[in-house]
Amino acid sequence: MKIVVCVKQVPITTGTNKIDPNTLRIVREGVDAELDPADEYGIEAALQLIEAQGGEITLVSMGPDRAIEAIRRGLAMGADKAIHISDPALSGSDALTTARILAAAIKRVNPDLVICATESSDAYTGIVPAGIAQLLDIPQLTFAKKLTVENGKATIQRQIEGGYQTVEASLPALVTVTGSINEPRYPALKGIMQAKKKPVETLTAADLGFATSEVGSAGAKERVLGWNPAPQRQAGVLIKDDGNAAVAIADYLQKLKVI
């Protein structure tokens, strides 16, 4: 079985994204970055399938040269090889262009299964996986908390409020996974050393058949028009219980028109 896992390097997720006020893009230069933790669940899901059934895992990532650091971590976890699409012309690409680029790279692998996170942990558009599935003309199974593959079908438990649905699709298919699906393994020293020798194919937009005018800011159909920081959280109201706390709470809630 051939599995592709889409991965992305994102600004370190324990911090707050910085926005360039001129470009309205997330600042990626000069900030600490990591393999998107959401992608590690997808890699782990792929590893468990390959360990049970055999096959090969290819990571596919679009990002600047430094994204190779995130790719190497995924390879250290156990993936076999990677495709890294790195091209300055791709800077400023919108979600649709990103999906088109990734889909074109995935076609080169001709996988049985594509695994993605439900969304990236930086831009949070959540529409790239659906775009890839559409462009590849394959079914998409979303929000998987459990994934099995047998008899030419992928079956998932689809996480929903209050429970889950069991959904299946014939292969090839694309599956998005949630953080409930597994506990990603930590790369061992042996894996880290092996990752340095695993093959990584580097491609440009032109290698995938795209003109410069079709990608990046030039080809973007979606534009960010503005950005506003989240409002500062207001300090709470402290009510001490001197015997009248219940009345004070009720008066406060009534003032807020909650009751």
Side-chain angles (χ1 to χ4, degrees):
M1 179 166 51
K2 292 193 291 186
I3 302 177
V4 161
V5 183
C6 295
V7 300
K8 184 180 183 182
Q9 186 185 53
V10 298
I12 196 161
T13 52
T14 53
T16 301
N17 286 334
K18 298 178 180 176
I19 305 297
D20 185 320
N22 297 314
T23 64
L24 300 179
R25 298 176 191 158
I26 296 172
V27 175
R28 302 181 186 278
E29 295 296 326
V31 300
D32 292 334
E34 62 182 347
L35 170 63
D36 192 335
D39 293 334
E40 294 191 8
Y41 297 101
I43 296 172
E44 179 63 37
L47 288 170
Q48 292 181 11
L49 289 171
I50 291 300
E51 287 167 353
Q53 304 182 25
E56 184 178 71
I57 300 171
T58 303
L59 306 181
V60 175
S61 182
M62 176 178 131
D65 291 349
R66 66 179 298 202
I68 189 65
E69 300 164 7
I71 292 171
R72 291 292 180 197
R73 179 176 173 85
L75 294 172
M77 289 178 66
D80 297 285
K81 58 184 181 177
I83 296 175
H84 179 195
I85 308 116
S86 180
D87 189 333
L90 294 170
S91 178
S93 292
D94 61 7
L96 176 58
T97 300
T98 300
R100 293 175 66 204
I101 292 289
L102 291 174
I106 292 169
K107 279 182 181 178
R108 299 164 68 98
V109 181
N110 191 28
D112 303 292
L113 183 66
V114 181
I115 300 178
C116 302
T118 56
E119 59 186 0
S120 66
S121 300
D122 53 359
Y124 291 103
T125 67
I127 58 177
V128 170
I132 295 172
Q134 174 69 24
L135 291 163
L136 294 177
D137 194 24
I138 60 176
Q140 180 190 19
L141 302 175
T142 59
F143 295 97
K145 63 188 278 302
K146 183 177 181 181
L147 167 64
T148 57
V149 175
E150 57 185 5
N151 300 322
K153 292 182 179 179
T155 304
I156 69 162
Q157 291 181 357
R158 184 175 189 272
Q159 194 169 319
I160 59 174
E161 185 175 0
Y164 65 85
Q165 299 169 319
T166 301
V167 190
E168 70 174 21
S170 298
L171 300 180
L174 183 148
V175 176
T176 64
V177 301
T178 72
S180 300
I181 194 167
N182 55 45
E183 185 64 34
R185 66 194 67 184
Y186 194 84
L189 178 59
K190 181 180 178 182
I192 293 172
M193 298 305 293
Q194 291 176 335
K196 297 177 181 178
K197 299 179 181 178
K198 290 183 177 178
V200 178
E201 183 181 18
T202 303
L203 301 173
T204 64
D207 292 332
L208 295 169
F210 292 89
T212 302
S213 59
E214 297 179 286
V215 301
S217 301
K221 308 298 183 189
E222 171 191 345
R223 300 190 185 282
V224 179
L225 300 179
W227 169 80
N228 293 291
Q232 293 290 324
R233 179 174 292 183
Q234 300 295 317
V237 174
L238 179 63
I239 298 175
K240 294 184 178 179
D241 187 7
D242 57 0
N244 297 307
V247 174
I249 292 172
D251 289 345
Y252 179 69
L253 294 177
Q254 194 171 39
K255 182 181 178 182
L256 296 178
K257 298 182 179 179
V258 175
I259 59 175

